[in-house]
């Protein structure tokens, strides 16, 4: 074989080897791409399963709320805490969900958050806002400026000119806030003020929330959670002023003698007195105190069958049955059965001893079933009851759900706000992949 033939054959061999090498590299690359695509597909599948598991947690919350037929709401309801309904519930394909909330002791609770356990910043007055933990006069004025309908700047507040002059400008609301997180847009209320150390807003000391400056947020590592304004405030709560059937409150500014006689066993004379007072646009129910007319009557046990006089005790006993407004929804009040001590102290004329007594009574298993029990049970005297009663309730309509779905290594968290008074409508929805 000539040198030329040997050289040609060697070249062909080298070329073949290069082709084999290239094919091998391509095959390895293709195999790697298949593995990456498979892993990606698996990750997407697990994330999808986790997302639907989290959604199942929201649906479970709706179901639990739909079964609650009690006329008052407190910490003994299943919606507040139920491990059976909300703790690591298993679904198909090994996915699970849990619905969690933090309680006043910064411990894990499997249940929902009651919006009425918080101060509604859309309707709270200046004095109430000032009682919130970790807020100063600047924050109070800025909240009031944000929600009012004018451009007059309070001493510590800010109006449209401030917000439109920012490096990244936006307009002021000049009205009621639509979502709770809208508070983050208000001057002086940033993440540190709103979330405190609870950056993920789950009410618990999570990773990074108790390690000083190492991981966000910047906390003091004292083993105690500073929950920020997020824990104590809301924009969603309201009072259902429509009621259902016989439970609908009677509007004393727009009623008739027959309704008053039938519903409350008034004498005709007292019914007429109540109607006359109602026509005078009273500011509160206490303006009906002392009205009388006709002759009352009691049965053999001393129980009034026909009422001829309204006093404070009668008003207290019928508090939830009376109203002065036509609107089906009224500004949110604070539920004395579920509010923390910090929120209770935002109620005008609320005293430390009374707040402590409310929490102690709740803990003993005897929460309030009516606002009037504050007076009839001797917790408040008449002066205190007149001040406190207009700001409180024992009923709740709106609930925050924090549902966490898991599948494999994928975790998806959904925060939803459910309105029981509107057929369990969703008023807020936010998803986070963890």
């Amino acid at each position: 074989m000539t040198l030329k033939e040997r050289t040609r054959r060697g070249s062909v061999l080298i070329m073949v080897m290069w082709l084999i090498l290239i094919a091998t590299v391509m095959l390895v690359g293709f195999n790697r791409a298949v593995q990456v695509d498979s892993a990606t597909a698996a990750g997407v599948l697990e994330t999808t399963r986790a997302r639907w598991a989290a959604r199942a947690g929201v649906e479970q919350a709706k179901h639990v709320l739909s079964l609650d037929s009690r006329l008052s709401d407190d910490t003994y309801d299943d919606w507040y805490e139920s491990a059976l309904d909300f703790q690591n519930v298993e679904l198909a394909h090994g996915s699970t969900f849990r619905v969690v909330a933090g309680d006043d002791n910064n411990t894990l609770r499997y249940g929902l958050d009651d919006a009425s356990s918080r101060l509604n910043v859309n309707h709270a007055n200046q004095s109430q806002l000032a009682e919130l933990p970790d807020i100063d006069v600047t924050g109070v004025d800025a909240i009031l400026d944000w929600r009012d309908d004018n451009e007059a700047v309070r001493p510590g507040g800010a109006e449209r000119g401030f917000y439109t002059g920012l490096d990244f400008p936006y307009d002021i609301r000049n009205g009621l806030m639509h979502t709770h997180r809208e508070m983050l847009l208000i001057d002086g209320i940033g993440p540190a003020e709103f979330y405190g150390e609870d950056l993920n807003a789950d009410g618990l000391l999570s990773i990074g929330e108790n390690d000083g400056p190492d991981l966000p947020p910047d906390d003091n590592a004292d083993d105690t959670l500073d929950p920020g304004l997020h824990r104590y405030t809301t924009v969603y709560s309201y009072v259902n002023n429509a009621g259902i059937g016989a439970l609908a409150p009677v509007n004393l500014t727009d009623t008739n003698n027959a309704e008053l006689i039938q519903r409350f066993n008034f004498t005709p004379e007292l019914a007429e007195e109540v109607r006359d007072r109602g026509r005078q646009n009273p500011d509160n129910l206490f303006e009906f105190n002392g009205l009388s007319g006709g002759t009352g009557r009691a049965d053999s046990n001393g129980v009034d069958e026909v009422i001829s006089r309204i006093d404070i005790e009668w008003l207290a006993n019928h508090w939830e049955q009376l109203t002065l407004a036509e609107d089906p929804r009224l500004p949110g009040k604070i539920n004395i059965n579920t509010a923390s001590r910090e929120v209770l102290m935002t109620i005008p004329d609320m005293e430390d001893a009374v707040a402590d007594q409310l929490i102690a009574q709740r803990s003993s298993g005897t929460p309030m079933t009516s606002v009037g029990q504050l007076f009839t049970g001797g917790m408040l005297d008449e002066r205190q009851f007149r001040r406190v009663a207009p700001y409180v309730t024992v009923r709740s309509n709106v609930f925050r759900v924090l549902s966490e779905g898991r599948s494999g290594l994928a975790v998806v968290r959904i925060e939803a706000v459910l309105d029981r008074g509107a057929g369990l409508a969703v008023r807020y929805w936010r998803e986070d992949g963890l």
Side-chain angles (χ1 to χ4, degrees):
M1 181 181 295
T2 65
L3 178 60
K4 186 176 182 180
E5 290 175 336
R6 288 198 300 270
T7 302
R8 183 183 299 115
R9 287 186 178 184
S11 299
V12 171
L13 180 61
I14 293 173
M15 184 179 297
V16 170
M17 292 179 63
W18 271 108
L19 290 173
I20 292 173
L21 178 61
I22 292 171
T24 302
V25 171
M26 291 178 65
L27 181 60
V28 170
F30 178 75
N31 184 57
R32 178 60 178 166
V34 169
Q35 291 178 346
V36 170
D37 288 345
S38 297
T40 301
V44 170
L45 178 61
E46 295 300 338
T47 300
T48 300
R49 287 175 175 170
R51 177 171 293 107
W52 282 102
R55 291 192 175 197
V58 177
E59 293 302 316
Q60 180 79 321
K62 289 183 179 181
H63 175 67
V64 171
L65 287 171
S66 71
L67 297 178
D68 182 18
S69 59
R70 298 177 62 210
L71 297 181
S72 59
D73 293 285
D74 53 59
T75 58
Y76 296 92
D77 286 317
D78 285 341
W79 63 257
Y80 183 83
E81 185 168 18
S82 173
L84 177 64
D85 293 306
F86 299 125
Q87 181 179 358
N88 301 327
V89 179
E90 293 188 9
L91 303 171
H93 306 292
S95 57
T96 63
F97 73 77
R98 66 175 190 170
V99 176
V100 298
D103 63 17
D104 295 337
N105 298 316
N106 302 324
T107 56
L108 185 65
R109 170 169 61 85
Y110 296 100
L112 313 183
D113 276 326
D114 172 19
S116 292
S117 69
R118 304 174 177 190
L119 180 67
N120 192 318
V121 293
N122 270 337
H123 304 287
N125 60 39
Q126 184 173 12
S127 297
Q128 289 181 282
L129 292 171
E131 290 296 328
L132 288 168
D134 303 323
I135 194 170
D136 56 21
V137 64
T138 300
V140 172
D141 283 352
I143 291 174
L144 294 173
D145 276 344
W146 181 268
R147 75 182 200 200
D148 67 23
D149 60 358
N150 60 62
E151 295 298 327
V153 183
R154 290 175 170 82
E159 284 288 353
R160 177 173 283 108
F162 171 81
Y163 296 104
T164 57
L166 295 172
D167 292 339
F168 298 97
Y170 51 89
D171 203 2
I172 192 171
R173 174 69 67 184
N174 274 355
L176 302 183
M177 285 173 258
H178 293 184
T179 69
H180 194 197
R181 280 185 171 83
E182 188 176 325
M183 289 183 68
L184 287 165
L185 297 176
I186 299 176
D187 181 40
I189 302 181
E193 291 77 19
F194 187 68
Y195 293 113
E197 296 173 348
D198 192 16
L199 191 60
N200 59 5
D202 65 353
L204 304 169
L205 270 176
S206 306
I207 296 176
E209 296 175 356
N210 193 40
D211 60 354
D214 295 344
L215 295 173
D218 190 3
D219 58 78
N220 56 16
D222 65 350
D223 295 324
T224 301
L225 182 68
D226 171 16
L229 292 172
H230 186 274
R231 169 73 71 86
Y232 307 120
T233 59
T234 185
V235 300
Y236 303 111
S237 63
Y238 68 90
V239 173
N240 187 347
N241 195 44
I244 302 175
L247 298 178
V250 174
N251 183 354
L252 297 184
T253 68
D254 184 23
T255 184
N256 56 67
N257 289 12
E259 182 180 33
L260 293 170
I261 292 170
Q262 180 181 8
R263 183 77 175 267
F264 303 119
N265 296 323
F266 284 172
T267 62
E269 293 84 357
L270 178 57
E272 185 62 32
E273 288 293 318
V274 170
R275 283 195 65 204
D276 286 344
R277 183 60 54 88
R279 295 190 191 102
Q280 300 172 21
N281 297 319
D283 292 327
N284 57 70
L285 292 174
F286 295 109
E287 293 189 29
F288 293 84
N289 180 45
L291 294 183
S292 62
T295 302
R297 185 176 70 248
D299 61 19
S300 59
N301 295 318
V303 178
D304 289 335
E305 289 185 320
V306 178
I307 308 298
S308 61
R309 177 180 173 80
I310 293 178
D311 56 18
I312 292 293
E313 186 169 1
W314 187 92
L315 286 172
N317 285 327
H318 296 82
W319 192 260
E320 280 78 22
Q321 302 172 44
L322 307 170
T323 185
L324 299 177
E326 295 181 359
D327 296 339
R329 294 189 176 195
L330 301 178
K333 300 182 180 183
I334 294 171
N335 189 329
I336 53 178
N337 288 328
T338 59
S340 65
R341 191 182 191 281
E342 290 86 351
V343 175
L344 290 174
M345 293 308 298
T346 68
I347 300 169
D349 270 19
M350 176 59 67
E351 298 178 356
D352 290 329
V354 175
D356 291 338
Q357 190 175 352
L358 275 170
I359 293 174
Q361 185 163 328
R362 175 196 311 172
S363 301
S364 69
T366 55
M368 298 287 181
T369 58
S370 167
V371 170
Q373 288 180 323
L374 291 169
F375 175 74
T376 59
M379 191 174 296
L380 300 180
D381 59 29
E382 181 177 334
R383 181 193 66 81
Q384 293 171 315
F385 183 63
R386 284 175 175 268
R387 287 285 292 154
V388 170
Y391 295 92
V392 299
T393 184
V394 294
R395 299 175 181 174
S396 303
N397 299 293
V398 182
F399 303 86
R400 174 179 178 260
V401 184
L402 191 60
S403 178
E404 189 175 272
R406 292 178 176 269
S407 182
L409 297 177
V411 181
V412 174
R413 176 179 291 161
I414 293 177
E415 179 184 359
V417 175
L418 303 180
D419 186 345
R420 182 168 57 180
L424 293 172
V426 176
R427 296 182 59 183
Y428 179 82
W429 187 277
R430 184 172 186 263
E431 295 186 15
D432 287 320
L434 303 182

